[in-house]
Structure formats: structure tokens, C-alpha cells
Amino acid sequence: MFARSASKARELEIEIRGRKVLKEYVCRVQGEFPSDPVECSQPILIVSHKIGLCRVSPEGKPCHTDFCRLSYNGETSVVKCLPHTGRMHQIRVHLQWLGYPIVNDPVYNHSAWGPNRGKKGEGISSVDTVIRELLMAEFGDGDGNSQLRAVKCSFQPLLEIDADNPKPAEAPCQRETQSQIEDDTDTEIKSGASHCEALSTELDALCDSTARADGISRTVDDVSCKESCRTDPDCTECGLCRPDPQPQDLVMYLHALRYMGPGWEYSSSMPSWAREDWKAKEQIEQETKL
């Protein structure tokens, strides 16, 4: 939703921050979601702003989401979501914690969270392990060498930031307390410089081994981001060099259905994947073979 003027943008911002805007979403989740309404009030903590990762934690900020199942096709459910707060990834994180992650969520429906995909917080070894596995999964397939170079490029700014602001030696992964700046703002959890260097070394080693397997002799440092990415010296994001996403990576089964505020309302139609008789492409192909 975009405002067409600065004054309207300020007006909408005030309404949203004052929680005067009703927001409705629809999503498709794994499994048979309960037929009765479900309420989730688990607090959410931002683990890292840099890579955009959150989780349920007692140290997080208060959250509240109501869920209502619309349909179930035998494998997945369509669920209406009513968030009463606006935390980062709130719907996705609450659904993961309940045990019904969004079908094609690349982050919160990933095996990096353990055998139960993060349900009730069970089976998670450590946040650092989750981050490492998510990075490797995203950049380790296909042309592993070039993709891991992209990880190295995007990881470097975080290394430099931590190097300039090192944590005490006895607590390299010390967590910072949450600030009270804005209602919808949380504090990024930063790892210490030594920990970042260790992750960087692992990425280098993996990239080198991938290069050797592909018959490529050059290493990460032999190829810079500038060879594959155009940069703007005035842009803070240009240093984050990442590979282009695949078409299937551009769609997630989470859709903003309706926003309604004082005297106005905006609604959209149901997406095709929210139809009751919808089936995933893989499911259709499997049935065709039978």
C-alpha cells in the first residue's frame, strides 16, 4: 500500500502506529490447521536485521495474531491471519511456532530449525547454527562457487561493523538488550568479531572446495563483486552482492487480503493458490504419473 502524497503517508503512518488499521492476510500452511480459531501471543525477537531473521523468545516484544482456517485439501490449509501488532515476520514466525509453517517459506519452513521446523521452539540447536545452515542452503546449490562468493560479499559489511565495535573477549556472542525506540523496531542481535571471522573463514573454505570440485582454480579473493555486480558509490546496499533469485523464489503463499482504517478500506482478491481445490505443482505431477 503506497500513499500518493507526503501528507497522506504521514496520516497513514499515524493510524498504523496507533493500531487503528485492521489488517487481514491469507496464507497456505503445511498440514491440517485446527478448525477452531487459534490465538498466538508469543513474543517475537529479531535475531538479525542484517539477514532478516526472527524467532519466538521470552526476550522478544509482545505480539498477538489470530488465525482462522478457511479450507483444507488433505495436505495443506488456507488460513486467514489477523495480526494485532506489527512485528517483523510476525505471521510467519507465529505459524512456525504453532507447527504450521507457510508451505513455501524459505526461512521459517526450513530443516535448519530442526526436525520439527521450529515448532514450539523444539529441536533448535542454536541460532548461529540456523543462520549458517540457511546461508549454506541459499547459496550452496547450483554454481556453488559464484553463489558463495555472493555470500562472502554480503557477509563482509557485517564483519567490518563488528570489527569496529568488538564485544568483550569472554562473550563473543553477547546479546544486546532491546531498545525502546519504536513500537515496530527491535534490536539486532550481533555476534562478536571473532565469531564473524570464523563464519567468514568457513565460507572461504567451502567456496574453495566447491571451486576445486568444479575444476576452477581461483578463490574467493580472485573475483570481486565488481566483476558481476554494478555498484553505486552512494548506495549503502550496493556492497551486498547476491545472486539473482529463481522465479519460484519470488512468490510466497502469504497475501495481504484487506486493510481497513478510519473512513477507508482497501481489499484484494484471493490468490489462485488460496482456492480450496488448489494443488501444488509437485502434487499434480505425482498424480499424473500414477
Side-chain angles (χ1 to χ4, degrees):
M1 184 170 63
F2 295 90
R4 300 178 63 180
S5 67
S7 59
K8 192 63 178 180
R10 287 191 294 270
E11 181 182 331
L12 290 174
E13 180 182 5
I14 293 173
E15 290 178 359
I16 291 174
R17 289 193 177 279
R19 297 181 181 174
K20 297 179 180 179
V21 177
L22 171 67
K23 295 171 284 185
E24 291 185 9
Y25 292 80
V26 64
C27 63
R28 183 171 285 276
V29 303
Q30 292 286 162
E32 184 177 4
F33 199 84
S35 57
D36 295 330
V38 174
E39 177 183 339
C40 186
S41 299
Q42 294 295 321
I44 291 178
L45 178 73
I46 294 184
V47 175
S48 172
H49 283 289
K50 181 67 65 175
I51 65 172
L53 188 69
C54 305
R55 66 172 298 183
V56 165
S57 169
E59 300 174 5
K61 287 193 173 183
C63 296
H64 179 196
T65 314
D66 291 328
F67 299 99
C68 178
R69 192 182 83 185
L70 300 180
S71 65
Y72 173 60
N73 68 359
E75 293 190 2
T76 60
S77 304
V78 174
V79 178
K80 180 178 287 189
C81 318
L82 302 173
H84 297 280
T85 49
R87 308 302 179 198
M88 180 177 176
H89 297 174
Q90 176 174 323
I91 293 173
R92 297 164 64 188
V93 173
H94 274 175
L95 286 169
Q96 179 199 44
W97 191 86
L98 290 170
Y100 304 95
I102 294 174
V103 169
N104 60 345
D105 191 326
V107 175
Y108 301 106
N109 190 8
H110 194 281
S111 58
W113 295 93
N116 295 325
R117 305 289 172 117
K119 179 180 180 180
K120 307 293 184 182
E122 301 170 353
I124 303 176
S125 54
S126 71
V127 174
D128 294 330
T129 299
V130 171
I131 292 175
R132 182 183 293 107
E133 291 191 17
L134 287 173
L135 284 175
M136 296 307 177
E138 181 176 358
F139 296 101
D141 298 331
D143 181 8
N145 192 55
S146 62
Q147 292 181 336
L148 284 169
R149 281 201 301 273
V151 177
K152 174 66 175 177
C153 294
S154 62
F155 188 74
Q156 190 62 33
L158 183 121
L159 175 61
E160 293 170 353
I161 290 174
D162 284 339
D164 292 337
N165 301 278
K167 299 290 185 294
E170 67 274 11
C173 295
Q174 180 180 358
R175 288 346 187 203
E176 296 180 352
T177 58
Q178 294 190 70
S179 65
Q180 302 296 324
I181 297 176
E182 295 291 349
D183 179 53
D184 297 320
T185 303
D186 296 88
T187 299
E188 175 183 3
I189 296 179
K190 299 179 179 178
S191 298
S194 60
H195 181 62
C196 290
E197 290 170 0
L199 281 177
S200 183
T201 301
E202 288 184 29
L203 292 173
D204 281 342
L206 182 56
C207 190
D208 288 343
S209 64
T210 306
R212 288 193 295 271
D214 293 339
I216 303 173
S217 59
R218 59 190 179 183
T219 62
V220 175
D221 296 328
D222 295 328
V223 181
S224 68
C225 266
K226 292 182 180 179
E227 293 185 19
S228 57
C229 302
R230 291 179 296 178
T231 62
D232 183 335
D234 296 323
C235 178
T236 58
E237 295 297 316
C238 276
L240 306 180
C241 182
R242 301 183 178 93
D244 288 336
Q246 297 298 312
Q248 64 270 19
D249 299 329
L250 299 175
V251 177
M252 187 188 301
Y253 298 156
L254 175 63
H255 176 72
L257 193 62
R258 183 167 70 116
Y259 273 31
M260 183 173 65
W264 62 270
E265 178 179 348
Y266 174 79
S267 61
S268 60
S269 58
M270 279 282 197
S272 59
W273 49 259
R275 296 197 310 263
E276 188 171 355
D277 60 347
W278 179 89
K279 293 182 180 180
K281 179 180 178 181
E282 294 78 8
Q283 184 178 353
I284 295 174
E285 292 176 349
Q286 184 178 3
E287 292 177 354
T288 302
K289 292 178 181 180
L290 296 177

